[in-house]
Amino acid sequence: MKLLRWSATRPDVDPGAVALHARNVSFDWSGVPLQWMPAEPLAGHLICALNMLLPEGERMFIATYREALAYVEDEKLREDMLGFIGQESMHAETHAKVLVDMLAANGVDTAPYERQMEYLFRVSLGKRGAGRAGKQMLVERLAFIACLEHFFAWLGDWVLNADLEKFGADPRMADLFRWHGAEEVEHRNVAHDVAEYFGVGYVRRSATMTLVFPIFLVLLLRGTRFLVHQDPKLPDHGYPRLLAGVFAAMWRGAIPGVPSLLVSALSTFQPGYNPDKVGSTAQALAYLAASPAARAAAS
């Protein structure tokens, strides 16, 4: 059964400010193959690599926002941050379940990659120090989160409009990323608003994005190679051929292209940038109302 898509008819009505809240979802991963997008297995592995990257990243987001709440006096922003924390907690829990119920069930040992993500997000980007130095590090992490959240909203908009079904995508995995992507579009302004509240201005935002953009791509490529290496149906020729395969999948529309991602990153260098134009809140809410996993949890 194909999932509902809105690529041809995006809702145009802006619902205005939305109160953020976590939505329960229920996924049954039994029987989902490792090559869940069989016509484009390499693209499927690249997308699936997010299941290994996101849980630790989102846990870092949650810890950082809980730390930041002590400094926030704006009640509306506090409310948005709490809604953001709730949604990110559900994202982390749901993607972590994929590691056990889908990847491990298909014989993939994700522990080595998970350890790398733990070091990155818990040690390199974890809480450090106290007083002024500690707060300065907090602001740096908030800037980092804002840049990543820009990409996640952009990717959320992409997956809501991508025709993954024409590549044979398993409907449950497609729903996972569309549900997550829709919530990223829904809360796309929060990380930017928090960063601005803490004084992350144009120069720091630009410098942080210059670092975040290549790091994000490298982590995704590393995760893709990790999955290809454990896929007995794919040859593991190393990074040069892997890159060639990834670019070919981009050309066929199975994954977003680097040029479009670069354009998206460069948009954050515009003075006065805000994420309002990244995706459609109305489209995101429409999908969240129709998501099979959200409906299954509500029934």
Side-chain angles (χ1 to χ4, degrees):
M1 180 182 68
K2 288 190 176 183
L3 297 176
L4 294 176
R5 295 173 56 248
W6 288 270
S7 58
T9 55
R10 273 193 185 184
D12 293 325
V13 179
D14 184 353
V18 176
L20 300 175
H21 64 279
R23 295 171 179 84
N24 290 323
V25 287
S26 178
F27 288 96
D28 176 10
W29 297 114
S30 58
V32 177
L34 182 58
Q35 292 192 5
W36 63 274
M37 201 155 71
E40 290 285 351
L42 196 59
H45 286 334
L46 188 145
I47 296 171
C48 195
L50 288 166
N51 287 306
M52 301 187 295
L53 170 64
L54 290 172
E56 281 300 321
E58 286 161 335
R59 290 169 189 142
M60 186 275 279
F61 291 5
I62 293 165
T64 301
Y65 272 42
R66 284 175 175 162
E67 182 184 348
L69 277 169
Y71 300 98
V72 177
E73 298 180 356
D74 184 302
E75 287 303 317
K76 176 62 170 63
L77 186 59
R78 287 181 61 86
E79 180 183 334
D80 287 344
M81 291 172 71
L82 290 170
F84 178 93
I85 288 170
Q87 290 187 344
E88 293 297 299
S89 178
M90 184 61 68
H91 296 169
E93 177 183 327
T94 304
H95 286 285
K97 192 167 171 45
V98 178
L99 301 183
V100 177
D101 293 355
M102 186 277 209
L103 289 175
N106 281 286
V108 176
D109 177 14
T110 61
Y113 190 90
E114 288 182 79
R115 286 195 294 269
Q116 293 175 15
M117 295 307 100
E118 286 177 6
Y119 186 87
L120 172 63
F121 289 108
R122 297 187 189 187
V123 179
S124 299
L125 294 171
K127 182 177 180 180
R128 291 186 184 178
R132 291 187 63 184
K135 186 176 181 183
Q136 184 61 36
M137 286 302 302
L138 171 64
V139 174
E140 296 294 342
R141 281 182 284 144
L142 293 173
F144 186 89
I145 292 170
C147 289
L148 277 178
E149 281 292 303
H150 168 85
F151 283 126
F152 293 159
W154 188 90
L155 291 171
D157 181 53
W158 179 85
V159 77
L160 281 172
N161 294 285
D163 188 0
L164 299 182
E165 285 75 13
K166 77 177 182 180
F167 305 113
D170 185 283
R172 289 163 289 181
M173 193 66 79
D175 184 33
L176 167 68
F177 287 105
R178 287 179 179 144
W179 156 74
H180 186 160
E183 289 200 339
E184 292 295 335
V185 171
E186 181 187 28
H187 69 223
R188 63 191 180 278
N189 289 295
V190 177
H192 174 73
D193 291 347
V194 171
E196 288 213 323
Y197 184 87
F198 279 83
V200 175
Y202 177 83
V203 173
R204 182 175 293 181
R205 182 178 74 236
S206 301
T208 304
M209 180 58 80
T210 302
L211 291 173
V212 167
F213 180 67
I215 290 172
F216 179 60
L217 294 182
V218 167
L219 291 176
L220 273 183
L221 188 63
R222 169 77 182 101
T224 306
R225 170 73 192 283
F226 185 86
L227 291 175
V228 169
H229 181 69
Q230 298 194 59
D231 185 344
K233 296 182 179 180
L234 287 180
D236 185 10
H237 293 305
Y239 282 108
R241 291 194 185 182
L242 177 67
L243 275 170
V246 167
F247 283 126
M250 290 175 179
W251 180 261
R252 292 187 291 268
I255 46 178
V258 169
S260 55
L261 268 172
L262 180 59
V263 169
S264 176
L266 290 175
S267 71
T268 66
F269 288 77
Q270 298 174 354
Y273 155 82
N274 71 70
D276 282 339
K277 294 182 180 179
V278 182
S280 159
T281 302
Q283 182 186 32
L285 294 177
Y287 186 83
L288 291 168
S291 164
R295 292 167 69 90
S299 61

